[in-house]
Each structure stands twice: as structure tokens, then as C-alpha cells.
Amino acid sequence: MHSRWEDSGASACGSELELRVYTSRLLGQDKSLVLHGGGNTSVKLVEKDIFGEEEPILYVKGSGWDLETIAAAGFTPVRLEHLKALAKLPILADPEMVNQLVTHQTRAAVPVPSVEAILHAILPYPYVDHTHADAIIAITNTADGEARVRDIYGDTVVVIPYVMPGFDLARLCAERFAAEAGPNTIGMVLLNHGIFSFGQNAKESYERMIELVGRAEDYLKRHSAWDVAPSAVTAAHGMELARELAKLRSDISKAAGFPVIVARHADNKSLSFARRADISTIAQQGPATPDHVIRTKRLPMLGRDVAAYVEGYRRYFETYEPQAKERKTMLDAAPRVVLDASLGLCAVGRSAQEAGIVADIYDHTMDIILRATALGGYRALPAKDIFDVEYWDLEQAKLRKGGKPLAFSGEVALVTGAASGIGKACVESLLARGAAVVALDLDAKVTAMKNGANFLGLQCDLTSEAQFKQALEQAVASFGGLDMLVLNAGIFPGGCRIESLQTEEWQKVMRINLDANLMLMRECHPFLKLAPRGGRVVVIGSKNVPAPGPGAAAYSASKAALNQLARVAALEWGSDNIRINSLHPNAVFDTGLWTEEVLAARAKHYGLTVDEYKKNNVLKTEVTSRDVAELAAEMCGSLFAKTTGAWLPVDGGNDRVI
Ligand code: ZN
């Protein structure tokens, strides 16, 4: 643990609230303190109300914000005296607590305050910091965790036994703090949950957090429970294992009731953890801190028996649901973390971003489990306590905030020729519909074309079977399978009449426009067949298929053969629930092929202006890459759910085609 505080960073802050933002971000930068929306912070300020009266206000982290990236707008101002009065009530139900928080904000357009707001209010310090620090939960998730904490901290912290977050926890903390806090108290440890620090200013509160967690880390080091790095193991790879992963994704998607992304992590740490002899004990205790449950579920699945996992989840629900205060509806029973001796750690989510959060959380969980094991045994909270948080309305609200999933959420698309023109536009259209997109191109710029968890750009020469197989394996390891394939890559050589068309030129066009696509279809077929909603293939053809032009023999013949290949695939793959349709664009000028000069020359050749040339079709409209891409994406969607083997022009109407 080291303090990230810098006087230069702090002196740039113009107000106490900005200082609060500054140290909150410092906490958020340290993943061993705070992960994905975990933890919260606050500052107590005095502000003038509309009548000019001074009033104490608690600025507390709003829900939906991450400490790492929080801004002043992420803190919700709530009337402090009201919160302190609430803490004295004997009982306050969750919905009423949220109502009280929201109705005592001093501004309307702010996020809902953290459910730990009352807890922040009762601590008599201007600054309060709260994290779910790894070292603290490693130590408190052991049989004698409380004794260890008292041993480490003496009278510098107040120790709070586990109580579910919310009003009851705030009340208990208020009582314990009043009874036990002394002149040396600088923090509060919540067993199986996390830690609070507090202080008179931002630096003091932040550095106390660092000091307290540092002492827990030192304790782990002194007890030989810090260094848990495994010895090297060998990961298996290959197309066979990729197919097994896609089968697993298919089973998990069925159990979930929607398609999911499954990201494989076959690093040394994940693999050796999954291969441990005691895995069925140490990984089946429960999460490191209860709020992880909404991301990871209570238990990881060991191996690949999804039906058994679902049955176990159902039993868990049926055991604890009757003990809940009000009736609950069972969430989907699919696992979010899979530990498998061959695959390693697989993280499951409705998007690649979600799967990434799950993987991050479990990456820290493995360290916590191993460190607690080294202390004598990892012991998580009883299942009942985890159930209460998993089915707590206020936690569920965090997930619902994600809103309605997009059309292709949890699905994976592969686009060829993706670095420019129609291919690039297809990447955009598919990402916009929530798909994870694998973009292939000969041009290396494809790798850095987009940021974000949902995008994987790979340089790949499609005439090399070995290169493509490697790319496909990498795609499946990243996202778990393949649902959509957009065959876009192709070349259009300059005009050349048949009598001078060289065999080599002809074969080159065939290799890229036709042979490569056969290979792609063949290699992708086993994965498309496992697509939870059925596989979809879109072929970007050409107007030259129905209406060829002179001087384009190789191009027209290759696209016509590809079109016929697609029609045969439609016949053969219907029983595998794979649809395949073709698009025939024409005169799409916003691609790399068309420079201003070429366009001007062609327009002049036909005696037209550039604008007339671009719109030289029945509808007198310009066809853009985006128009083609949007249609390609729609062909993968529900609108075309009952269409296969079709070929559709997207050309503004061409009299020869019509
Ligand atoms: Zn907490």
C-alpha cells in the first residue's frame, strides 16, 4: 500500500468537493481497494440555502458512479441533519429509506445517493472513505477473523460484526461507534464486508485508509499469507478446445435464457487455481464480499455441467426464498464464473464489458481466497446472508439501471475487410446493436480502429488458412463463440477485357473473393451452429452478380460464384438453424477505392456532374457504406428471422437489375 496523494494534484482543487473528488479517484485507482462501483466516499459541507440560511450538507457518492472516474456531479447533496435524525429511528424499511434520501436532496438532477449514506452521516468527521479492500476481506473471511482484526488494530478501529448494508448496518455502526470509539480511533472494520476511515480533511482520511489497509497487508506478509503466486502451468489451445468453449457458451446461454459472452482466461493464475486439488472446497464457500454476488452469483461453476449448476441454484433459491420478508422471483440460474481444468477461468456476461467486470472481480477473489486459505481457511458468509443481498431490491436496482439490452447483446459478429469502407461501417452498425465484434483486415490499422471491451481487431490475411484459424481461435477465446459472419473482404481489380485477362490475375481474384470465403464458411460453421439464437451469415455481393459489366470478368464471376455458394449454404445449413443472405450494393463511393479524381474522371466519362454520377440510379439517391452496413446488420436481426437464401439489392434501384 502506498499513498498516491500528491500536493500538486491536491493544490489544483479549488474546493472541498473537488478535493473529495481527487482522493476518491486515488482510492479508485487502486484495484486492491475498490473494484467496479464498489466503495463510497463523502464530505460534509456547510452551504447556504435559498433563504441564505447556512445548512450542513452531506455530499455522498451517488449510485452508478465508479470512484476511479467520479466527478463532482457524481456526489449527491443530502441534508445532513435529516440523515442523522433518521439514524435514531428504531426501524426504517428499505423503500422508505431510499425515499427519505431522495426527498432530502438539495438538488433534483443528481444520482440516487449511496445506500450507505446514513452510515456516512453518523460518523462525526468531515471526510469519510469506505472500501472493500482485498486485504481486509481476506483476513475477515476466516474462522477467527474478528480476533485477527483486533490483534492488528487494537483500539484504532471499531469492529462491526456482519450486518446487511442499509439502515440496520448504519444503526449498528452508530451504536458501536458511540460506545467504542476513543481518541485513537481512525477507522471502522466491517467484518466480511470492508473498511471505513475518516478524518478532518481529505488527505487525513485517505491516508488513514492507506495506513489501515497497509497494516492488514503487513499482517498477511508476516503470516506467510501474502505471496500466493502459483508455479507455472501449461495452457491447452487449439480448435477442438475452442469448440468445447463454444458448446459451453451455448449451454450457459440456454440456461440464462439469453445469449451471453464467455471470455476465457487461461493465464497462469486462473489455470492453476482451477486445477487446485482443493478447488471444490475453497471455491464453493461464497463471494469475498456480499456485493460481488450481483456480478458473480454466489458460487462459480466447477467444470462444465450447466444442468447440475442450474439445479443447485434452484435449490439455493428454494431454500432461502421462503425466509425473505416479501416474495422474490428467481433470477436466471446461469453461472457467471466457470472454473475448468482445461479452460481455466471463464467469465460470463451480457456484454464483453460485463464479462470483463466479472473476470476482474474473480481475479481479486482468487487472491483473497488463497490468502485466507494460507491463514488457515477461507470462510465466506453463510448462504442466507448472500441470498439477502442477491435478492435485495436496492442491489437489483443497480443492475436494472443497465436498461433494456440491445438487439445483439451477448452475441458475437465477425467482419472481414473491416478496416475501411463497407466493412468498417458494418463494425459500427453491429457494435451499435450491442454485439461484440471481431474485425479482420489485411491492414494492420484494424487492430487500433476501436477501443472498448466489445471490439477485437486482428490483422489477418484471409488467403492463409493458418492465419484465419488463429484469428478464429482468438475470437472464440475472447467472446466464447460466433453468431454472425459478414463476408465483406474482396478485391476489385482495374478494368480488363477477357482477351487480355491473365490466368494469374483471374486466380488472385478468385482466391480472395471466392476461395477464402469458402474456407471461412467451413471453419466458422461449427461455431455458427452453436449460436444461441441461430447463426447468421451476410454476404456482401455486388450489382455485378445480376447485372455484370464489361471489363470486370474476374470480379463479376467471383461474386456470382460466391452468391451461388451462399445459396447452397442456405440449403445445407437451414437444418443447423443458420441463415445466409446476400446483399448487392452498387456505386458506393465513400470507400477507399474512390478518390475525388477517379470520381471526377468517371463522371466526366458519362457526361455527368459528380453529384449526378453518385445519384445515377432509379431513386436518384446516393448509396453510402452506412446504408449497406445497416441493411447487413438488419439481415442478422429479427426482421429477417424467416429469410434465408435471399439476395437483395441496395443500389438506389438499377434499371438493369430491375
Ligand atoms: Zn460497502
Side-chain angles (χ1 to χ4, degrees):
M1 269 294 122
H2 72 278
S3 170
R4 293 167 192 249
W5 175 277
E6 281 177 11
D7 288 336
S8 57
S11 61
C13 298
S15 67
E16 294 288 324
L17 185 57
E18 280 179 34
L19 271 168
R20 177 67 284 177
V21 170
Y22 173 66
T23 55
S24 300
R25 287 184 172 191
L26 296 185
L27 291 175
Q29 284 162 19
D30 192 330
K31 299 298 162 217
S32 70
L33 290 176
V34 166
L35 272 180
H36 300 297
N40 41 59
T41 57
S42 66
V43 60
K44 299 178 183 79
L45 302 174
V46 174
E47 292 188 334
K48 284 207 168 99
D49 68 15
I50 191 88
F51 307 108
E53 303 279 334
E54 290 200 326
E55 183 181 28
I57 301 292
L58 176 81
Y59 275 82
V60 64
K61 194 195 97 162
S63 98
W65 284 79
D66 275 349
L67 288 183
E68 189 180 9
T69 52
I70 199 161
F75 286 92
T76 302
V78 194
R79 295 196 164 90
L80 180 62
E81 292 310 318
H82 187 77
L83 293 174
K84 282 157 77 174
L86 288 176
K88 297 203 175 80
L89 289 171
I91 188 166
L92 182 60
D94 293 333
E96 186 53 39
M97 178 182 78
V98 173
N99 183 47
Q100 289 297 321
L101 298 183
V102 172
T103 52
H104 288 79
Q105 294 165 188
T106 58
R107 277 206 299 276
V110 285
V112 175
S114 160
V115 294
E116 277 157 349
I118 298 175
L119 209 171
H120 282 260
I122 56 106
L123 293 168
Y125 296 86
Y127 283 82
V128 175
D129 293 28
H130 169 48
T131 72
H132 303 154
D134 288 359
I136 301 290
I137 42 187
I139 291 168
T140 64
N141 278 315
T142 56
D144 40 10
E146 182 172 349
R148 290 176 191 277
V149 167
R150 292 192 188 278
D151 180 29
I152 297 166
Y153 296 112
D155 64 353
T156 55
V157 302
V158 172
V159 180
I160 309 289
Y162 179 77
V163 170
M164 194 166 132
F167 182 71
D168 292 348
L169 176 62
R171 234 186 88 99
L172 179 67
C173 289
E175 279 170 24
R176 289 283 175 112
F177 186 85
E180 294 174 26
N184 296 329
T185 305
I186 58 169
M188 198 160 66
V189 171
L190 280 58
L191 299 177
N192 308 90
H193 173 162
I195 181 165
F196 278 81
S197 65
F198 24 74
Q200 294 304 327
N201 56 59
K203 185 180 185 189
E204 183 176 63
S205 185
Y206 167 73
E207 290 197 331
R208 282 175 171 177
M209 175 64 72
I210 301 302
E211 183 199 330
L212 290 170
V213 176
R215 277 153 75 176
E217 292 188 348
D218 291 342
Y219 179 89
L220 289 167
K221 285 172 191 159
R222 280 203 310 280
H223 289 77
S224 311
W226 180 254
D227 188 11
V228 289
S231 44
V233 292
T234 316
H237 292 286
M239 206 51 99
E240 188 49 44
L241 199 61
R243 283 181 200 163
E244 290 177 24
L245 176 57
K247 172 70 171 73
L248 178 65
R249 171 180 176 252
S250 164
D251 291 346
I252 294 174
S253 297
K254 263 183 215 133
F258 46 80
V260 291
I261 298 294
V262 178
R264 181 188 178 203
H265 297 264
D267 55 282
N268 207 42
K269 179 172 161 183
S270 306
L271 265 179
S272 41
F273 187 80
R275 288 176 188 173
R276 279 179 67 109
D278 58 357
I279 190 70
S280 60
T281 311
I282 62 171
Q284 297 292 290
Q285 302 291 314
T289 183
D291 79 2
H292 289 173
V293 70
I294 57 168
R295 299 290 188 181
T296 61
K297 294 229 181 249
R298 190 174 85 88
L299 301 175
M301 177 169 85
L302 303 181
R304 305 179 198 175
D305 189 345
V306 177
Y309 184 91
V310 167
E311 192 38 47
Y313 187 85
R314 192 178 301 280
R315 272 200 309 277
Y316 155 77
F317 181 81
E318 283 165 1
T319 304
Y320 298 107
E321 194 274 341
Q323 301 174 35
K325 281 183 220 129
E326 67 277 356
R327 299 288 54 82
K328 306 286 182 187
T329 306
M330 196 174 90
L331 300 167
D332 78 80
R336 296 300 190 272
V337 176
V338 180
L339 297 167
D340 179 87
S342 306
L343 293 168
L345 163 69
C346 295
V348 179
R350 286 208 88 158
S351 64
Q353 192 205 9
E354 245 184 62
I357 291 173
V358 170
D360 283 348
I361 290 175
Y362 210 76
D363 187 61
H364 285 260
T365 302
M366 289 189 286
D367 287 338
I368 291 162
I369 289 176
L370 293 175
R371 289 184 176 135
T373 303
L375 280 185
Y378 176 69
R379 206 173 74 175
L381 286 167
K384 162 84 170 69
D385 289 315
I386 303 301
F387 180 89
D388 288 344
V389 173
E390 186 176 1
Y391 282 88
W392 187 25
D393 284 346
L394 303 184
E395 282 290 343
Q396 294 298 310
K398 285 190 196 170
L399 291 181
R400 276 196 297 271
K401 253 198 207 93
K404 195 168 172 276
L406 295 164
F408 296 159
S409 279
E411 296 197 283
V412 187
L414 189 148
V415 180
T416 66
S420 60
I422 292 171
K424 190 175 177 187
C426 285
V427 171
E428 301 285 353
S429 294
L430 291 160
L431 283 173
R433 286 163 173 79
V437 179
V438 182
L440 304 188
D441 204 288
L442 197 54
D443 190 334
K445 76 177 180 212
V446 74
T447 57
M449 204 172 86
K450 287 260 152 202
N451 289 317
N454 262 351
F455 177 80
L456 174 68
L458 298 172
Q459 188 183 17
C460 181
D461 176 357
L462 297 176
T463 62
S464 159
E465 207 166 307
Q467 274 191 35
F468 177 69
K469 283 182 177 172
Q470 206 182 355
L472 184 58
E473 250 190 80
Q474 203 179 331
V476 174
S478 300
F479 301 129
L482 184 63
D483 306 273
M484 294 166 267
L485 175 62
V486 179
L487 299 175
N488 166 67
I491 54 169
F492 183 88
C496 178
R497 294 178 66 88
I498 292 169
E499 55 270 33
S500 42
L501 180 58
Q502 299 304 303
T503 308
E504 212 167 87
E505 180 67 16
W506 167 267
Q507 286 176 339
K508 185 184 169 200
V509 174
M510 288 295 164
R511 261 202 313 280
I512 295 168
N513 291 6
L514 183 61
D515 303 355
N517 285 323
L518 169 74
M519 185 271 293
L520 265 122
M521 286 165 71
R522 185 187 68 223
E523 296 302 320
C524 292
H525 175 258
F527 297 101
L528 293 168
K529 198 176 160 178
L530 288 168
R533 286 188 186 141
R536 286 87 86 197
V537 182
V538 176
V539 173
I540 307 297
S542 165
K543 179 235 37 170
N544 282 32
V545 175
Y555 179 79
S556 302
S558 69
K559 288 286 187 184
L562 177 60
N563 197 67
Q564 199 72 338
L565 177 65
R567 295 172 72 207
V568 175
L571 292 170
E572 291 185 357
W573 292 357
S575 55
D576 295 328
N577 199 21
I578 301 169
R579 302 188 280 109
I580 176 160
N581 294 299
S582 301
L583 279 181
H584 293 321
N586 187 36
V588 179
F589 296 113
D590 61 342
T591 67
L593 274 112
W594 294 88
T595 60
E596 299 271 324
E597 299 79 57
V598 176
L599 206 51
R602 297 306 298 163
K604 197 174 164 210
H605 175 81
Y606 289 101
L608 300 169
T609 67
V610 169
D611 192 54
E612 283 168 347
Y613 180 64
K614 280 184 176 175
K615 296 177 177 171
N616 191 18
N617 53 47
V618 172
L619 294 173
K620 299 284 173 232
T621 184
E622 186 183 345
V623 181
T624 64
S625 294
R626 186 166 187 277
D627 296 324
V628 181
E630 284 291 296
L631 187 54
E634 284 305 310
M635 279 186 144
C636 294
S638 57
L639 200 60
F640 283 77
K642 299 183 180 177
T643 300
T644 191
W647 28 330
L648 198 62
V650 48
D651 57 6
N654 179 290
D655 47 9
R656 287 177 58 217
V657 173
I658 294 169

